Amino acid sequence: MTLGWEEIRAEVLRRIRVRDWPPGALIPGEEALAEEFGVARATVNRALTALAEAGVIERKKRAGTRVAALPVRRARLEIPVIRLDVLGRGLAYDFRLMADRQVPAPVPVAARLGLPEGQPMRYLETLHLAGGLPFVLETRWLNPAVLPDPPPDFAAVSANEWLVTHVSLVSGDIAFTAEPATPREAEVMGVAPGTPLLVAERTTQGMAGPVTLVRLAHAPGHRVVMTF
Amino acid sequence: MTLGWEEIRAEVLRRIRVRDWPPGALIPGEEALAEEFGVARATVNRALTALAEAGVIERKKRAGTRVAALPVRRARLEIPVIRLDVLGRGLAYDFRLMADRQVPAPVPVAARLGLPEGQPMRYLETLHLAGGLPFVLETRWLNPAVLPDPPPDFAAVSANEWLVTHVSLVSGDIAFTAEPATPREAEVMGVAPGTPLLVAERTTQGMAGPVTLVRLAHAPGHRVVMTF
């Protein structure tokens, strides 16, 4: 019986675990492992790719593959369009554009995005609904330089969905925090002020510079799930 | 001047953005792109790897590389040893083992891990300190089958650090929620009951079956940051 890639992965993990291959050690090349296990090189490659993504091994061009010196687990989060996230939960989706105006960037917003203070920005507040109930309150600062002329109508397609499908993001960061609902969040989401909300704050950079700073305040009980 | 991989990435993103290469379309192979851009194939490979990790394109063995049909952003979270996370913030690390006992697995714990109800488990409560202040309260259910004989002393090295460095995890999931501090958490962490805490609940599977279910309640203000 030929081994599958999961079995190759398990055997590589076993050798790392029993310190046959200790932290930092160079492991045999794909060709050598394929020969040893009697499988195709592509099978070994798939197993090693999975282990590299999990942070167990480190692959370098030419320098070969090493056992990670410091085991770091990496988990992946998929950031979907909110509408699709809601539909994926089997709930009806709707949204309401609650604010849309041109405002000079306040200092903290400009600083986070690397834009000059007072730069004209588009400020948008969108309430996303799942099954008719508040799901996420989105507060967004958008660099109008990324918008076409004329700009899209964010009452017809949410800024979240328009940006994901039209603007190529190059890099960014997300910070998760637990915060007491602000009076505004409490009012819009129909919860008591101070209720713990899971908040995600994202900044994104595009090819032509900063794109957006967005705060997503999730309804109580919301779970953000990642796998590894 | 020869183009760098970031410039190749930017040009590929541009073509996707202007719909030269629409969602779902097959894009040229590495060799063809390397020739067109006048760069080494490895440079194209690096650019495409970055775009694949970001979810912009999908690479399949033999079937080639396609523009993702549905743009999904992926962010990566590194899950470090808590001690190293604290030291990385420039703070002194310490921990206190507050509970350590053998308990039959309660139904929800057994169900989450896929173990029989009542299975003997190790229950551990560990308070991690940063700069002498509560940082994370860790509540852990551990499958004793993964431990050597004699088992490690979790008062000497935290269960978190011992597991990361000794047990190869195969897969798992993490869920982030915002929760009001329980009376126990409030007491141990020195905050008012109901204070919003960022809670991470992880389950992990090893080669020989379920490893652990752990709840990490973070001190108020804690930020979990991911990049993409």
Side-chain angles (χ1 to χ4, degrees):
Chain A
M1 200 200 78
T2 310
L3 297 176
W5 73 272
E6 293 97 338
E7 287 151 308
I8 306 296
R9 177 179 63 174
E11 174 59 17
V12 170
L13 273 172
R14 191 193 63 78
R15 293 181 186 186
I16 291 171
R17 186 183 185 181
V18 300
R19 301 284 203 272
D20 272 357
W21 296 342
L26 205 60
I27 75 169
E30 283 183 11
E31 210 129 351
L33 290 173
E35 195 174 322
E36 181 191 343
F37 295 130
V39 299
R41 188 169 161 167
T43 309
V44 172
N45 181 278
R46 185 156 180 205
L48 296 187
T49 299
L51 290 168
E53 281 178 2
V56 175
I57 58 172
E58 289 163 354
R59 305 167 96 183
K60 295 244 168 74
K61 279 231 176 288
R62 277 175 270 277
T65 299
R66 289 183 183 280
V67 179
L70 182 69
V72 173
R73 302 268 139 203
R74 287 198 202 100
R76 286 203 325 193
L77 173 69
E78 308 230 317
I79 309 166
V81 175
I82 294 172
R83 179 175 65 84
L84 299 175
D85 183 8
V86 170
L87 295 177
R89 293 165 192 247
L91 295 167
Y93 172 77
D94 199 3
F95 75 96
R96 285 184 209 137
L97 181 61
M98 309 190 62
D100 181 356
R101 48 182 185 265
Q102 294 276 352
V103 188
V107 175
V109 173
R112 283 290 305 279
L113 284 172
L115 287 169
E117 183 189 335
Q119 151 114 13
M121 301 281 289
R122 187 96 170 250
Y123 174 82
L124 297 149
E125 203 182 79
T126 309
L127 178 65
H128 300 269
L129 301 156
L133 297 173
F135 182 69
V136 170
L137 178 60
E138 173 190 314
T139 314
R140 183 183 295 276
W141 294 87
L142 181 58
N143 184 355
V146 304
L147 298 177
D149 186 18
D153 175 8
F154 291 127
V157 57
S158 80
N160 166 262
E161 180 154 4
W162 189 87
L163 282 168
V164 172
T165 50
H166 288 78
V167 178
S168 294
L169 305 180
V170 170
S171 62
D173 56 76
I174 312 177
F176 287 99
T177 52
E179 297 183 28
T182 64
R184 172 71 181 153
E185 286 162 353
E187 181 199 337
V188 171
M189 305 192 84
V191 299
T195 300
L197 301 182
L198 182 64
V199 172
E201 201 178 77
R202 286 208 298 258
T203 62
T204 48
Q205 303 285 328
M207 281 180 294
V211 174
T212 195
L213 168 62
V214 62
R215 173 189 165 92
L216 302 171
H218 300 85
H222 191 99
R223 296 164 66 84
V224 167
V225 178
M226 308 175 55
T227 55
F228 57 94
Chain B
M1 200 199 78
T2 311
L3 297 176
W5 73 271
E6 292 98 336
E7 286 152 307
I8 306 295
R9 177 179 63 175
E11 174 57 18
V12 170
L13 273 172
R14 190 192 64 78
R15 292 181 187 186
I16 291 171
R17 186 183 186 182
V18 301
R19 300 282 202 275
D20 272 359
W21 295 342
L26 204 61
I27 74 170
E30 282 183 12
E31 209 128 353
L33 290 174
E35 194 173 325
E36 181 192 342
F37 295 130
V39 298
R41 189 168 160 169
T43 308
V44 172
N45 181 277
R46 184 155 181 207
L48 296 186
T49 299
L51 290 168
E53 282 179 358
V56 174
I57 58 173
E58 289 163 354
R59 304 166 96 183
K60 295 244 170 76
K61 280 231 175 282
R62 278 177 269 275
T65 299
R66 289 185 183 278
V67 179
L70 184 68
V72 174
R73 302 269 141 202
R74 289 198 201 100
R76 287 206 320 197
L77 173 69
E78 307 229 318
I79 309 167
V81 175
I82 294 172
R83 179 174 66 83
L84 299 176
D85 183 8
V86 170
L87 295 177
R89 293 166 192 246
L91 296 167
Y93 173 77
D94 200 4
F95 75 96
R96 287 184 208 135
L97 182 61
M98 309 192 60
D100 181 357
R101 46 182 186 267
Q102 294 275 353
V103 188
V107 175
V109 172
R112 283 290 304 279
L113 285 171
L115 286 169
E117 183 187 336
Q119 149 113 13
M121 301 280 289
R122 186 96 170 252
Y123 174 81
L124 297 149
E125 203 182 79
T126 309
L127 179 65
H128 300 269
L129 301 156
L133 297 173
F135 182 69
V136 170
L137 178 61
E138 174 190 312
T139 316
R140 183 183 295 277
W141 294 87
L142 181 58
N143 184 354
V146 305
L147 299 176
D149 187 17
D153 175 10
F154 291 127
V157 57
S158 80
N160 165 263
E161 181 153 3
W162 188 88
L163 282 168
V164 173
T165 51
H166 288 79
V167 178
S168 293
L169 306 179
V170 170
S171 63
D173 56 75
I174 313 177
F176 287 99
T177 52
E179 296 184 26
T182 63
R184 173 72 180 152
E185 285 162 354
E187 181 200 338
V188 171
M189 306 193 82
V191 299
T195 300
L197 301 182
L198 182 65
V199 172
E201 203 178 76
R202 286 207 298 257
T203 61
T204 49
Q205 303 285 328
M207 281 179 296
V211 174
T212 194
L213 168 63
V214 61
R215 174 189 164 94
L216 303 170
H218 300 84
H222 191 100
R223 294 163 68 84
V224 167
V225 178
M226 309 176 54
T227 54
F228 57 94

